């Protein structure tokens, strides 16, 4: 994995804001939002029960760059995470980073190899959105847990290798030199 990709895995703040700085048009393509089974690492963080799972692809200037999955206990949709249910194609980052009552855990880097349940999901979704297979053998990403009034929301973001090339050739350098390839 490249140093540039590791920088994206460790970058603090809003991924939405960082991606918006790379181009003219930022887009959220919602793949699904429903009650769904959890991945093993999600169960460890969020526990058992019913959970709302939202999976999206984040695009800049029409180019898919990030696959993201957010998971929240269904019971919190009537409370602290009620806005999550109605997000549609709006970015989750605005909900999380525009609210001073939301705290974020440390970022955890992930490397999903073939055989990991999330790897297959990312590959299937990427094929649906782009018409091509995920462009790497490993899905490199990161996760963090957000808390609002004690309620947890876990977010996982997988970075397509194209992100590094896209970021390095962008005309808009607002993302900062530390995040260029």
């Amino acid at each position: 994995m490249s140093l540039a990709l590791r920088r994206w895995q460790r970058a603090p703040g809003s991924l939405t804001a960082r991606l918006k700085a790379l181009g003219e048009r930022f887009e959220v393509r919602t793949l699904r939002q429903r009650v769904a089974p959890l991945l093993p690492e999600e169960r460890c963080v969020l526990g058992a029960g019913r959970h709302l799972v939202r999976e999206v692809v984040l695009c800049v200037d029409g180019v898919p760059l990030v696959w993201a999955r957010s998971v929240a206990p269904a019971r919190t949709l009537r409370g602290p995470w009620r806005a999550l249910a109605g997000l549609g194609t709006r970015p989750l980052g605005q909900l999380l980073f525009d609210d001073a009552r939301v705290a974020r855990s440390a970022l955890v880097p992930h490397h999903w190899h073939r055989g990991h349940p999330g790897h297959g999901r990312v590959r299937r979704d990427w094929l649906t959105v782009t018409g091509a297979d995920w462009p790497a053998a490993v899905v490199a990403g990161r996760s963090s847990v957000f808390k609002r009034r004690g309620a947890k929301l876990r977010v996982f973001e997988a970075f397509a290798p194209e992100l590094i090339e896209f970021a390095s050739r962008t005309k808009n350098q607002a993302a900062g030199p530390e995040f260029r390839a």
Side-chain angles (χ1 to χ4, degrees):
M1 180 173 46
S2 72
L3 175 60
L5 191 53
R6 283 195 300 268
R7 286 180 178 148
W8 279 86
Q9 282 182 304
R10 294 188 311 254
S14 169
L15 178 62
T16 296
R18 187 163 277 103
L19 290 171
K20 283 182 175 182
L22 294 178
E24 299 297 319
R25 187 173 44 93
F26 175 79
E27 173 189 7
V28 177
R29 294 184 191 171
T30 305
L31 301 169
R32 64 191 62 80
Q33 182 168 316
R34 64 177 186 238
V35 174
L38 298 184
L39 298 173
E41 59 264 30
E42 292 168 340
R43 226 178 347 272
C44 290
V45 172
L46 299 171
R50 294 172 32 93
H51 292 80
L52 179 73
V53 175
R54 180 178 189 242
E55 294 171 331
V56 301
V57 171
L58 307 178
C59 304
V60 177
D61 296 338
V63 179
L65 299 173
V66 175
W67 179 90
R69 177 179 166 103
S70 54
V71 182
R75 70 183 181 290
T76 65
L77 300 178
R78 292 183 300 276
W81 296 118
R82 102 177 104 258
L84 183 64
L87 272 179
T89 58
R90 289 178 296 145
L92 178 60
Q94 287 180 310
L95 172 69
L96 300 175
F97 289 96
D98 291 349
D99 186 343
R101 298 169 293 183
V102 175
R104 184 186 204 176
S105 72
L107 293 165
V108 177
H110 294 273
H111 303 93
W112 289 351
H113 297 274
R114 293 190 197 281
H116 185 285
H119 189 281
R121 176 166 297 288
V122 172
R123 288 184 65 215
R124 283 189 302 276
D125 286 348
W126 205 254
L127 183 61
T128 299
V129 170
T130 68
D133 197 8
W134 182 258
V138 174
V139 173
R142 69 183 190 177
S143 69
S144 57
V145 177
F146 294 85
K147 283 187 182 178
R148 183 167 189 256
R149 295 190 341 228
K152 294 178 180 179
L153 167 70
R154 183 180 187 270
V155 175
F156 175 85
E157 299 151 334
F159 303 111
E162 291 91 348
L163 173 63
I164 302 311
E165 181 184 335
F166 189 93
S168 69
R169 70 173 189 254
T170 184
K171 293 177 192 170
N172 184 345
Q173 299 300 315
E178 67 274 20
F179 298 107
R180 287 185 217 128

